[in-house]
């Protein structure tokens, strides 16, 4: 079994109002020096595939077809 | 006009839509459960509003993969009419029937209020009973209605006249103030290139009877009934 972690983020340039609100709230709490904040999703997949390359390929296909909406999001796959 | 409404788990506006359609056509629309794969003899398929699959992953993402969506796509490919409202709009963008995507509202707040829509063209089945530039009131109720698309897609939508409705002031002026959810270019609704698929965020079906507080949305359904009269 292989575990794949898919991280889905809004594409650069796509407004992330949640990230903005969190950044603002951190400022309110007194955390200084926080720049841009972006919010994403982490999706952990247990895959029966044992070959890491094949598992990555499968997870990337899942990312393109469902886990991310490629109009607004991008994703990365990590095999752990 | 034979109409059918697709019902996904978590949808909640299907009865409002059925009331609107029955009021205009005199016939009850068929309700089609999302597991069905045959739409039967239908002129118009409606994807109503709500929160299909609890908005899991992304609004409309799960519904876009429902068994019924294959049939909806084939219906659209055959030149059938599709009206997709609110969650329905999110579903058809996720399914690739219309371009773009609906992001979280720019102000992060769920917006439950009336908005004003400007009709961008009146030569379609959906807008034939309005006139170009007419402004009508429509309720909206959504958390993710911030329309976005690539610059190329936005330019193509504009260039090919595929913008159906824009958020506007009551006098028709296009402003940021009227654009409560932050949609690109104030876009509230769009057409497919053959003008037979129309998706929009607000709810014209909720203003079709004086008892509802107005009939601003009725011309949309009157127009469809007139264009699709069998």
């Amino acid at each position: 079994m292989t575990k794949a972690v898919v991280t889905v983020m809004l594409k650069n340039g796509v407004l992330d109002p949640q990230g903005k609100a969190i950044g603002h709230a951190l400022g309110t709490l007194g955390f200084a020096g926080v720049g841009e904040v972006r919010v994403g999703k982490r999706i952990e997949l247990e895959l029966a595939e044992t070959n890491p390359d094949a598992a990555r390929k499968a997870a990337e296909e899942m990312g393109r077809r469902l886990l991310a909406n490629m109009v607004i999001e991008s994703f990365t796959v990590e095999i752990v | 006009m034979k109409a059918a409404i697709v019902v996904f788990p978590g949808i909640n506006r299907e009865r409002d839509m059925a009331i609107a359609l029955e009021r205009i056509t005199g016939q009850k629309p068929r309700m089609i459960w999302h597991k069905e794969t045959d739409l039967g003899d239908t002129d118009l398929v409606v994807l109503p509003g709500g929160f299909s699959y609890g908005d899991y992953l992304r609004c409309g993402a799960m519904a876009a993969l429902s068994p019924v969506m294959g049939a909806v796509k084939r219906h659209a490919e055959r030149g059938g009419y599709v009206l997709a409202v609110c969650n329905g709009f999110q579903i058809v963008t996720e399914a690739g029937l219309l371009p773009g995507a609906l992001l979280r509202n720019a102000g992060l707040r769920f917006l439950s209020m009336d908005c004003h829509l400007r009709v961008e063209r009146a030569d379609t089945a959906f807008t034939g009973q309005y006139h170009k530039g007419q402004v009508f009131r429509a309720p909206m109720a959504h958390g993710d209605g911030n329309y976005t698309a690539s610059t190329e897609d936005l330019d193509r939508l504009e260039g090919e006249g595929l913008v159906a409705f824009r958020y506007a002031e009551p006098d028709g002026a296009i402003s940021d103030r009227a654009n409560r959810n932050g949609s690109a270019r104030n876009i509230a609704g769009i057409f497919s290139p053959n003008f037979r698929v129309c998706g929009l965020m607000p709810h014209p079906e909720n203003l079709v009877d004086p008892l509802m507080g107005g009939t601003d949305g009725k011309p949309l359904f009157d127009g469809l009934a007139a264009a699709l009269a069998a």
Side-chain angles (χ1 to χ4, degrees), chain B residues 128-204:
Chain B
Q129 302 284 317
Y130 293 105
H131 55 258
K132 185 174 189 288
Q134 186 175 344
V135 177
F136 68 97
R137 192 162 57 92
M140 61 176 172
H142 59 248
D144 299 70
N146 179 352
Y147 183 74
T148 189
S150 66
T151 307
E152 303 86 79
D153 275 340
L154 290 171
D155 288 345
R156 186 178 57 80
L157 288 169
E158 304 260 16
E160 295 176 12
L162 300 178
V163 177
F165 308 105
R166 285 184 218 266
Y167 298 106
E169 302 283 345
D171 67 0
I174 299 300
S175 68
D176 286 343
R177 191 180 59 173
N179 193 24
R180 301 294 292 258
N181 57 27
S183 288
R185 304 185 192 185
N186 284 49
I187 292 173
I190 56 173
F191 296 116
S192 60
N194 67 358
F195 299 99
R196 294 188 174 202
V197 180
C198 178
L200 73 162
M201 285 310 298
H203 292 278

Side-chain angles (χ1 to χ4, degrees), chain A residues 22-42:
Chain A
I22 291 168
H24 182 75
L26 288 172
T28 306
L29 283 173
F31 290 101
V34 179
E36 194 184 18
V37 179
R38 310 277 291 172
V39 178
K41 293 185 193 105
R42 173 189 167 104

Side-chain angles (χ1 to χ4, degrees), chain A residues 6-73:
Chain A
V6 181
T7 306
V8 181
M9 299 295 295
L10 286 171
K11 279 183 184 169
N12 285 331
V14 174
L15 182 72
D16 180 359
Q18 256 192 113
K20 264 187 139 166
I22 291 168
H24 182 75
L26 288 172
T28 306
L29 283 173
F31 290 101
V34 179
E36 194 184 18
V37 179
R38 310 277 291 172
V39 178
K41 293 185 193 105
R42 173 189 167 104
I43 300 165
E44 299 181 352
L45 305 166
E46 275 182 13
L47 304 174
E49 177 63 60
T50 51
N51 178 314
D53 288 340
R56 171 182 299 278
K57 253 187 124 176
E60 285 174 351
E61 180 69 9
M62 294 175 202
R64 274 189 296 274
R65 301 221 5 226
L66 174 65
L67 305 180
N69 178 338
M70 301 306 284
V71 177
I72 47 174
E73 296 168 326

Side-chain angles (χ1 to χ4, degrees), chain B residues 13-21 46-50 83 85-86 136 138-139 200-209 212 214 216-218 220-221:
Chain B
R13 300 291 189 119
E14 74 278 12
R15 278 170 294 183
D16 300 22
M17 189 61 79
I19 288 166
L21 286 165
V46 182
L47 280 71
L83 173 63
V85 171
C86 198
F136 68 97
L200 73 162
M201 285 310 298
H203 292 278
E205 75 275 17
N206 287 136
L207 278 184
V208 295
D209 188 297
M212 296 173 173
D216 284 54
K218 191 169 172 287
L220 187 144
F221 297 95

